[in-house]
Structure formats: structure tokens, C-alpha cells
Amino acid sequence: MVRTVFSPEYCLQYLEQYASKEIFVVGLILGQTTNEKENVIYLARTPEEKNADTVSESSYVSDKTDIAKNLLSVSEAWVADHAKHVTRMLPGGMFVQGIFVTSDEDIFEDPNQFSKVKEILHYIHKVLNVNQYMYGNCPYTNERLVLHMSTSTKVLNCKSVEVGAPNRSTVIKPVEWKFVPKIQQWQRLDCYYEFDEVYPVIVKKSGISVKHQFQQILESAHKTIESSVMFIDGELKDGNEAIEQIIKKKKTKTNSKNTQQDIPKTMQVSLFVPFENTLPETVEYLECDGSIHFSGVVSSSVFMCPKATISEAIVAVKQDIIRSLASRFTMHCDALIDDNLLPEEKVCFNEPPRRVLVPVGSIYLCDYLFPGESPAEALLSVRELLDLQITEADVICDVETPADTSEFDALDRDASSEELLATPQEASQFMYITGICFAMLVLIVSIIIHYYDTIMDVLRKLLSRKYY
């Protein structure tokens, strides 16, 4: 059976704008794969390669570029790095499904060209597989798409190539690519997951590694979220049931009540963590030097094909939360000047970037803004990584609020005032003197109360006596 891929018509227009100018382009195919249907949501051109001395891990922005004239001059590492950055912007359940090429040469007929295609796909798979919490590689299939449009004939051809095989064996299959004039309908699932956990910290001779601590938090969060149970609109759904079936039931229920209320365009998702009421037989005690209080709310917006099942939606929501944490932790650590926190730093505050949404077609992808950054920073990422022009008004910045630092400021003031405190010996002497004075005051008050009547009689006699 031939694999069929559905794509909106604006993807065809995107290819034609480069093919008509006879421009060589290589880029990424972004989409979603389910058991019932495979959808492509967007094609993102890979930026021109930057010089090694001008590009950083967290940014593609640079003035110096090396323009590739054909596929053989493209660096597979550069395309893979583009795929890694774009994966951070994808919601759960969506992946880099392959690459597209516009060129005059037939990349499937030329052995050198096709060999380069395979190298790029294998390198992307390898890079995205490094961080398991990024969920870079689609778990449902090892086949990656290769879409080619000839700049001379404007003919489209698509095939799939298997990646990840230990012996690098190549299985090539034909793919039927269908451009759909009607915009694909997506079901949006929104979830707000709150974290409020305390983790132990052990100070080593080299200090505390921020990246290591974040990795431990990520591992713990992954175990917790994977064990959680998902409720949709407050109800526990059957995992084998399709999303469109739930929508139909809602429409039927609404029509039966003869109401004019529309069916909500979004489904509210809640994750509940089962309570474990069992303790291990032996409890290990760990001597710690401090603790990390990890607190905040992760906003999740996932878009699923209506034919997808509830089980696939559950996986996508959990992927989205963990992928978002892994993305912002990595970005935060890359932005640090020094990864180590020295032991003498008693209080330290780390604020990873917050999530914002950017529109792509009929769905939203995401970007991350560091504290103090404006939506204009998101426009740069969208233009560089997605080859998309949007305005600041299009960026949705209120899905996550900036961190509340009031509690940290109070702790910081307490820590900074330690130098003004008395030494333990001075404090002990002060408390001793204060205690004596307080005891004397209590004794005097008690005597006055006890002999109140006697004292008052004496005072009245003294005041009534006449002196001549």
C-alpha cells in the first residue's frame, strides 16, 4: 500500500515561489503522523549556513553566510541543527518528517545527490536522538519523507527513506503527496500543568552544575507525567475512541437540549498524578547541602487531527510538556556564563524562558522569550527558523506569565543581612541581659498587683495629712 501524505495548498505555493525563480533550496517538512492519517503542516526553508565563528548554539542570526548552490555543498550538520531548533518550536505530537529540495538536478536519479539526501536524513535522526526528552524523532515510523520539485519542469516527486537502521540499510518507497484545497481541521487541547517540587542538592568540590540539577528535575518530571492520568473536559475517555467521535457526541447532546451554544473549539485537559500510599521497607537518608524549589506552571497547547485517538492525544500532551521543559532548560543553560553555582552562594534564582505562541497556518507553534525580551525577539526566530513573516501583534504572550520573584527577593534580603547580625556569643549575652530585665519587670508588676490595696491606703493617708 502506497503511503499517502496530505498537505495544504499553501505548501505548494511555498515550493513554487522558489522553483519559479530557479533557486536551490533545502528545508524541513513539519507535520503529524497518526495511525489513520499523515498531515504536513508546513515547509520551513533551512537558513543559509553561517560561518562557525559567528553563529552560536541559541541563534541563527548572523551577517556572514555561505550560500549553497546545490545539494552537495550543503552541510548535513547545519540542516540537523536547524531541525533541532525547529523541534523546540513544535507542539507535542508533531515532528520533523523529512526534508524538501528545489533544484534543477533530479536528486533521486543522481547517485551522488541521493547519497547526500540519505546522509542528511541520518544525521538529523542522530542529532534529534541525543536528547530523549525532546522527542525529536517520531515514534510511529522510521521512514522520513523526501520531497523534490524540479526548478525546470516544476514536477513534484516524493519518496520515503528509512533511517535509524544499524547497518545504514536504505529502504526507499514511493509516497503519494496530495495537496488539499480545504484547510485541515485541527482539534486543540489545552492544558496547564503546575510544578511545585523540592529537590535535594549536594555540593561537590567543583560546585553545583545547573545543567545537572535541571537534568534531575527533568527526569523526575518525566516519571511523574508519564504516570499521570489524563481527563478531557473533566471526563476519563476511552483511549481507543477517536477525537471526532467525542465531538459528534457533544454536537448530538447539544442539539438534543435545543440550545444555541456552540461546541467549544478547544478541549480542556487535566493531568492527575496517582497517589502512592506505599513506603519502601528500607528508607535511605541522604545528607544534603541545600535544596532547589522548582515552581511554576507550564502552558500546553496541542493540535490533533480529529481522526486521532484519545491515546494518541494523551501521548502528544505529555510529550508537549516534557519537550517544553527540555527546550527551555537547554536554552537557559546555553545562556549561562558559568554553569557552576559555587557552594558559598546560599540563595540563587534561575528563571528559564517562558513560552509564547506564534501562528502557522491554522495552528500555533511556540517560541521562548527570556526575561526582559519583547515579542520582537520571537519575530527574529520565526523568520530565521520558519521562513515566515508575522507581526508582533500575532505573537500570543499571555499563555504564561513572568515569574513572581517576590519570594526570592525576600530570601535574598535575608541572606544579604546575615553580615549585620551579631555573633553567636554577642547574641547570647544580649539575650541573657534582656531576660534579666524582663524578669525584674515582671517581679515589680506582680508586687504592685499583690499589695495594691495596701499601697492605695498608704497613699490616701499621706494625701489626707495636713502639714503646717
Side-chain angles (χ1 to χ4, degrees):
M1 183 176 179
V2 178
R3 181 179 177 184
T4 304
V5 177
F6 297 90
S7 171
E9 279 194 341
Y10 61 74
C11 290
L12 176 61
Q13 298 169 0
Y14 184 81
L15 290 170
E16 288 176 341
Q17 73 172 342
Y18 289 113
S20 61
K21 299 177 182 178
E22 298 185 355
I23 299 176
F24 164 76
V25 170
V26 61
L28 305 176
I29 302 173
L30 314 180
Q32 181 179 97
T33 300
T34 64
N35 291 328
E36 294 295 329
K37 196 174 182 181
E38 185 167 5
N39 293 289
V40 169
I41 61 168
Y42 194 70
L43 304 178
R45 177 186 182 181
T46 298
E48 301 294 346
E49 187 171 358
K50 306 321 187 263
N51 291 338
D53 57 342
T54 60
V55 66
S56 64
E57 171 70 15
S58 59
S59 175
Y60 264 73
V61 179
S62 175
D63 294 331
K64 299 180 180 180
T65 60
D66 295 327
I67 300 177
K69 297 181 180 180
N70 54 61
L71 189 61
L72 298 179
S73 61
V74 173
S75 168
E76 53 266 26
W78 181 254
V79 181
D81 199 45
H82 181 214
K84 180 179 65 175
H85 283 78
V86 170
T87 298
R88 295 174 182 172
M89 307 178 75
L90 296 177
M94 294 191 177
F95 305 89
V96 174
Q97 294 180 299
I99 63 172
F100 73 90
V101 179
T102 63
S103 66
D104 189 29
E105 303 87 359
D106 190 334
I107 62 174
F108 298 112
E109 295 296 332
D110 189 332
N112 294 329
Q113 298 276 337
F114 191 64
S115 177
K116 186 67 173 183
V117 167
K118 293 187 292 183
E119 287 297 324
I120 293 175
L121 293 176
H122 283 291
Y123 206 97
I124 292 175
H125 180 270
K126 178 182 177 181
V127 169
L128 295 182
N129 209 37
V130 171
N131 189 347
Q132 60 172 328
Y133 300 116
M134 284 294 298
Y135 297 104
N137 290 309
C138 179
Y140 304 115
T141 178
N142 286 332
E143 297 179 4
R144 299 295 179 263
L145 300 173
V146 181
L147 178 65
H148 177 255
M149 173 174 274
S150 172
T151 55
S152 57
T153 63
K154 308 301 184 293
V155 174
L156 272 173
N157 193 7
C158 184
K159 298 183 183 298
S160 67
V161 177
E162 186 177 0
V163 297
N167 55 357
R168 288 288 183 96
S169 59
T170 303
V171 178
I172 307 170
K173 299 179 181 179
V175 176
E176 184 180 3
W177 191 292
K178 291 186 177 181
F179 291 99
V180 182
K182 187 177 180 180
I183 298 178
Q184 166 71 43
Q185 297 296 319
W186 298 91
Q187 180 58 51
R188 177 171 174 173
L189 296 93
D190 288 340
C191 177
Y192 288 92
Y193 191 84
E194 182 176 1
F195 289 92
D196 191 10
E197 302 289 342
V198 178
Y199 301 90
V201 174
I202 300 177
V203 178
K204 300 180 180 180
K205 292 182 179 180
S206 59
I208 307 172
S209 171
V210 178
K211 183 177 294 185
H212 177 68
Q213 297 298 327
F214 280 171
Q215 186 68 18
Q216 290 183 333
I217 293 174
L218 195 57
E219 292 174 1
S220 176
H222 176 258
K223 293 179 182 178
T224 301
I225 292 174
E226 285 298 321
S227 66
S228 63
V229 179
M230 190 173 88
F231 285 71
I232 298 179
D233 291 335
E235 298 178 358
L236 185 62
K237 304 294 185 180
D238 182 8
N240 296 323
E241 191 174 14
I243 294 178
E244 62 181 1
Q245 294 176 351
I246 297 178
I247 298 174
K248 289 180 181 179
K249 289 180 181 179
K250 285 187 177 182
K251 290 182 178 180
T252 304
K253 187 176 181 180
T254 302
N255 294 333
S256 63
K257 292 183 179 181
N258 296 323
T259 60
Q260 299 298 324
Q261 184 179 4
D262 294 333
I263 301 298
K265 295 183 179 180
T266 64
M267 292 181 174
Q268 298 301 320
V269 177
S270 302
L271 294 180
F272 293 90
V273 180
F275 175 71
E276 296 182 1
N277 196 20
T278 58
L279 293 175
E281 296 181 358
T282 58
V283 180
E284 296 183 0
Y285 293 94
L286 184 64
E287 185 176 352
C288 304
D289 300 287
S291 63
I292 291 180
H293 184 194
F294 180 61
S295 178
V297 177
V298 174
S299 170
S300 171
S301 292
V302 168
F303 299 85
M304 300 297 298
C305 171
K307 292 186 178 295
T309 62
I310 295 298
S311 296
E312 291 172 330
I314 291 174
V315 172
V317 172
K318 293 181 178 180
Q319 283 179 351
D320 186 71
I321 297 173
I322 296 299
R323 178 186 283 175
S324 178
L325 285 178
S327 299
R328 61 184 88 194
F329 282 177
T330 302
M331 295 173 65
H332 178 70
C333 290
D334 290 341
L336 292 177
I337 299 176
D338 187 3
D339 180 56
N340 289 327
L341 295 177
L342 300 179
E344 57 266 19
E345 296 183 11
K346 296 180 176 60
V347 180
C348 182
F349 179 76
N350 282 267
E351 184 180 356
R354 61 189 177 94
R355 197 177 209 176
V356 297
L357 299 181
V358 293
V360 175
S362 58
I363 68 171
Y364 287 94
L365 272 59
C366 70
D367 196 17
Y368 298 94
L369 297 181
F370 283 92
E373 289 186 338
S374 66
E377 301 294 334
L379 302 186
L380 295 176
S381 300
V382 170
R383 185 175 68 246
E384 285 289 322
L385 298 175
L386 301 179
D387 193 22
L388 179 66
Q389 299 292 336
I390 61 174
T391 64
E392 289 191 35
D394 297 325
V395 183
I396 301 177
C397 299
D398 58 353
V399 292
E400 290 182 354
T401 58
D404 183 7
T405 61
S406 58
E407 182 180 355
F408 167 74
D409 294 337
L411 292 173
D412 193 34
R413 287 194 299 270
D414 293 341
S416 62
S417 62
E418 288 181 355
E419 297 180 357
L420 302 178
L421 297 178
T423 63
Q425 184 178 2
E426 293 172 342
S428 178
Q429 293 175 355
F430 176 75
M431 292 298 295
Y432 179 73
I433 296 172
T434 304
I436 293 177
C437 294
F438 181 75
M440 292 293 293
L441 178 62
V442 171
L443 179 61
I444 294 172
V445 172
S446 62
I447 292 174
I448 292 174
I449 295 174
H450 185 72
Y451 296 100
Y452 178 77
D453 294 337
T454 304
I455 294 173
M456 292 304 296
D457 290 341
V458 172
L459 289 176
R460 280 193 295 269
K461 289 179 181 180
L462 291 175
L463 292 174
S464 63
R465 182 179 298 177
K466 296 181 179 180
Y467 297 91
Y468 297 96

